[in-house]
């Protein structure tokens, strides 16, 4: 189904009524959860969802529960009109743009936690963040009840947490990860890149270079520790405040990647006002 402008729904009831008709017609529902401020990376997710389903729903909800007290919830870019405009012409039948009260009508007495995966890496630096993500994604999946839901591989830890949650809670949805869309200089696209000055955007490209250098060392199984140390030093001396640059097992994010088929090199670092994350997967079976 090609749409010029997606239908916009603000309430759970209205969206459910709309989707009930699609379900009765036997249509496969694809879902792309977002926090809005859509860029080409998000549109890739919509394209992927549309390839795999008959009707695509995009949610746009800046979820307060996943922001820490000193994080950017109040300043996070909210651009609903522009986002709907960007979705026109894509196969997006519905945008769900609820208020905070719609998603958390009685505050919060139930939380979803995937504790082991949520307390390492970004979870260590952003306590409570992934509990907020897992909770809102679980709610959104319950509202939309899609057959498939598409997420970006850029938020690699988030993707593994969501996959684990879906498996553990036996949710009837297939979770799909999609390749990271990059700027020509290699910088992973992210809504938070808007916080970077132009010169910082250029500098930020070395994050991806660092990941690729470490990934190559892992792939070749040579000088891994030395490469990791050099790349950490390089990022720090370029002005990044490094949260981590690590190699992990790609599935359970444990440190024992050596025994697995796939590893992932992950980075998180602050540059100016932006906290940037990125990763590169390494196929060790070759
Ligand atoms: O990746 C994001 O944009 C958010 O964490 C998500 C999955 C939409 C949950 O708020």
């Amino acid at each position: 189904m090609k749409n010029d402008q997606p239908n916009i729904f603000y309430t759970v009831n209205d969206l459910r009524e709309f989707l009930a008709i699609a379900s009765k017609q036997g249509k496969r529902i694809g879902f792309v959860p977002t926090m809005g401020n859509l860029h080409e990376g998000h549109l890739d997710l919509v394209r992927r969802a549309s390839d795999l389903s008959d009707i695509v729903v995009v949610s746009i909800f800046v979820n307060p529960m996943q922001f820490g007290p000193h994080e950017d919830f109040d300043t996070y870019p909210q651009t609903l009109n522009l986002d709907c405009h960007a979705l026109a012409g894509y196969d997006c039948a519905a945008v769900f743009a609820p208020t905070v009260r719609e998603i958390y009508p009685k505050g919060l007495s139930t939380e979803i936690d995937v504790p082991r995966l949520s307390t390492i890496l970004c979870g260590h630096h952003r306590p409570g963040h992934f509990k907020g993500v897992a909770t809102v994604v679980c709610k959104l999946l319950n509202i939309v009840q899609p057959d498939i839901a598409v997420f970006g591989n850029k938020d690699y830890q988030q993707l593994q947490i969501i996959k684990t949650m879906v498996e553990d809670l036996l949710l009837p949805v297939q979770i799909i990860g999609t390749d990271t869309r990059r700027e020509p200089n290699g910088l992973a696209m992210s809504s938070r890149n808007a916080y970077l000055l132009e010169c910082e955007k250029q500098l930020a490209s070395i994050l991806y270079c660092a990941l690729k250098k470490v990934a190559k060392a892992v792939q070749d199984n040579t000088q891994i520790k030395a490469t990791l140390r050099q790349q950490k030093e390089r990022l720090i001396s370029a002005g990044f405040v490094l949260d981590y640059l690590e190699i992990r097992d790609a599935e359970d994010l444990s440190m024992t990647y050596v025994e697995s088929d796939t590893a992932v090199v992950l980075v998180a670092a602050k540059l100016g006002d932006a906290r940037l994350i990125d990763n590169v997967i390494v196929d060790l079976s070759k």
Side-chain angles (χ1 to χ4, degrees):
M1 188 197 297
K2 273 257 182 248
N3 289 282
D4 285 339
Q5 279 284 347
N7 299 291
I8 307 180
F9 299 95
Y10 300 95
T11 67
V12 174
N13 280 345
D14 287 351
L15 179 72
R16 278 190 169 153
E17 264 177 34
F18 174 79
L19 291 175
I21 299 167
S23 292
K24 264 200 198 124
Q25 293 168 341
K27 290 191 171 152
R28 249 173 95 75
I29 299 173
F31 180 42
V32 180
T34 80
M35 296 209 297
N37 197 237
L38 304 183
H39 50 67
E40 277 299 322
H42 292 112
L43 297 174
D44 283 348
L45 308 187
V46 177
R47 266 187 286 262
R48 188 78 198 278
S50 141
D51 286 347
L52 299 170
S53 62
D54 302 311
I55 176 170
V56 176
V57 180
V58 173
S59 66
I60 295 183
F61 178 63
V62 183
N63 171 35
M65 197 188 159
Q66 68 188 73
F67 288 78
H70 305 295
E71 294 186 348
D72 54 343
F73 175 67
D74 290 330
T75 52
Y76 198 86
Q78 304 233 25
T79 52
L80 182 61
N81 286 340
L82 282 175
D83 292 342
C84 290
H85 197 70
L87 287 167
Y90 285 84
D91 269 341
C92 171
V95 165
F96 179 47
T99 58
V100 172
R101 185 182 277 256
E102 187 69 15
I103 296 295
Y104 299 108
K106 293 188 177 154
L108 196 67
S109 43
T110 304
E111 294 175 337
I112 306 290
D113 196 9
V114 184
R116 196 194 63 74
L117 285 174
S118 293
T119 46
I120 54 174
L121 301 165
C122 281
H124 175 73
H125 294 273
R126 302 183 69 189
H129 168 66
F130 287 120
K131 209 186 262 187
V133 171
T135 303
V136 82
V137 170
C138 189
K139 277 172 171 267
L140 291 167
L141 291 174
N142 283 334
I143 294 166
V144 178
Q145 305 199 357
D147 296 281
I148 58 137
V150 184
F151 295 81
N153 282 344
K154 184 181 82 72
D155 297 297
Y156 192 81
Q157 187 175 3
Q158 165 173 288
L159 180 62
Q160 298 315 308
I161 287 170
I162 290 165
K163 281 184 175 166
T164 304
M165 171 188 80
V166 161
E167 213 177 297
D168 285 351
L169 299 182
L170 307 169
L171 301 181
V173 58
Q174 189 189 352
I175 301 298
I176 304 207
T178 293
D179 286 351
T180 302
R181 175 67 86 109
R182 299 183 179 280
E183 301 288 354
N185 71 358
L187 172 65
M189 285 194 187
S190 160
S191 302
R192 288 193 168 100
N193 291 355
Y195 301 153
L196 294 170
L197 303 172
E198 205 42 55
C199 57
E200 290 170 337
K201 269 191 193 147
Q202 294 314 316
L203 187 62
S205 65
I206 70 168
L207 269 188
Y208 185 44
C209 296
L211 285 172
K212 283 194 295 188
K213 289 235 157 74
V214 177
K216 174 136 189 10
V218 175
Q219 183 84 71
D220 298 347
N221 199 13
T222 51
Q223 305 275 320
I224 298 176
K225 275 193 181 151
T227 311
L228 205 49
R229 197 187 53 245
Q230 280 158 11
Q231 295 310 313
K232 282 183 185 173
E233 283 166 7
R234 182 179 175 213
L235 290 172
I236 292 166
S237 59
F240 288 87
V241 178
L242 188 63
D243 280 352
Y244 60 81
L245 172 62
E246 292 203 26
I247 311 157
R248 297 281 176 130
D249 179 289
E251 207 167 294
D252 63 10
L253 296 180
S254 69
M255 293 193 193
T256 54
Y257 69 91
V258 186
E259 291 149 30
S260 69
D261 274 355
T262 326
V264 57
V265 188
L266 306 114
V267 70
K270 294 185 200 84
L271 184 63
D273 288 337
R275 183 177 187 276
L276 305 171
I277 58 171
D278 199 354
N279 64 82
V280 166
I281 309 273
V282 191
D283 183 352
L284 297 172
S285 65
K286 288 179 189 160

